[in-house]
Amino acid sequence: MIVISDYFTMDIFMHSSNVVEIASAISGEINLPGEENAILREAALYHDIGKSQIPEEILYKRGKLNAEEWEIMKKHPVYSQELYVKAWKGKRQSPVTGKSIRHHHENWDGTGYPDGISGKNIPLYSRIIKIADIFEAITEPRVYRSYRMDNALELMESIKGKEIDPVIFEKSYNKLKELLREKASW
């Protein structure tokens, strides 16, 4: 049985909910059909559920993770896929959703995890979630950083073609800029 703290539950739920909305906004910019947007939203919702398998002292550590802690943290996409498959076993589970969850930390240049795949070998939904996940992470305070980053789009521009799909990022740039303006007015 998995025991999850209330803080973890709310933190991950809020993050995942935000990623769902950002990913959906991106899908509108790349003209993803409605049924595909539904798959994307489901994958985005479950993308970090595997963090429930990561010890809280690693998950909420203030400061940089050491090499051993980082290796543990890098397992969460696999755990997320496994939990998704287990939760929906025998129901309306989608293998595409499971793969999209698993690969949301793959990098465009092949340096990501868990499988080190690259470019268009990374599922489309994973590439969208990656952009949404990074955008959400750098525009919201974190346990290890109590502030929002002001230069979010410049930072993302610097990882375009390395960590994130350059075409999807370019097509969604104006929407991300709009979302950033909305966040600034909160």
Side-chain angles (χ1 to χ4, degrees):
M1 176 193 224
I2 301 167
V3 177
I4 303 173
S5 74
D6 290 340
Y7 179 74
F8 172 85
T9 304
M10 184 54 70
D11 185 50
I12 297 301
F13 174 75
M14 292 305 298
H15 167 70
S16 294
S17 295
N18 291 339
V19 170
V20 167
E21 294 310 315
I22 297 164
S24 190
I26 292 169
S27 80
E29 297 302 302
I30 63 169
N31 300 313
L32 204 61
E35 63 276 1
E36 290 188 39
N37 188 45
I39 295 168
L40 171 66
R41 290 177 66 88
E42 182 173 48
L45 183 62
Y46 290 102
H47 81 281
D48 272 350
I49 195 71
K51 286 185 176 178
S52 64
Q53 305 297 294
I54 306 298
E56 286 190 12
E57 60 271 13
I58 294 174
L59 196 60
Y60 295 111
K61 180 179 178 178
R62 294 188 184 277
K64 194 171 184 171
L65 298 177
N66 65 37
E68 182 180 321
E69 293 166 333
W70 183 239
E71 288 305 312
I72 293 168
M73 180 63 89
K74 286 175 19 179
K75 293 177 182 177
H76 87 268
V78 174
Y79 297 152
S80 293
Q81 179 188 29
E82 290 170 353
L83 288 170
Y84 169 79
V85 168
K86 185 176 180 181
W88 292 104
K89 189 171 186 164
K91 298 182 181 97
R92 57 175 188 75
Q93 178 200 130
S94 162
V96 172
T97 303
K99 283 185 174 187
S100 298
I101 291 167
R102 178 185 182 94
H103 296 298
H104 77 274
H105 277 294
E106 300 290 358
N107 289 340
W108 185 254
D109 65 6
T111 61
Y113 59 90
D115 299 317
I117 58 177
S118 65
K120 292 190 176 181
N121 290 321
I122 303 166
L124 173 63
Y125 307 128
S126 302
R127 289 182 271 147
I128 296 169
I129 292 168
K130 172 95 175 184
I131 292 170
D133 193 27
I134 290 171
F135 182 80
E136 201 282 337
I138 62 178
T139 59
E140 290 296 323
R142 290 287 179 259
V143 68
Y144 50 85
R145 174 182 38 80
S146 62
Y147 58 89
R148 295 176 178 177
M149 299 183 77
D150 293 329
N151 62 339
L153 293 176
E154 292 84 6
L155 176 61
M156 292 182 77
E157 185 78 40
S158 74
I159 61 173
K160 175 180 76 175
K162 297 172 190 161
E163 292 183 36
I164 59 177
D165 181 319
V167 174
I168 294 173
F169 177 71
E170 286 299 323
K171 287 183 176 183
S172 61
Y173 184 88
N174 288 333
K175 177 55 79 174
L176 294 174
K177 191 173 184 177
E178 179 184 319
L179 294 174
L180 197 55
R181 277 195 304 269
E182 289 174 15
K183 282 179 176 267
S185 68
W186 294 349

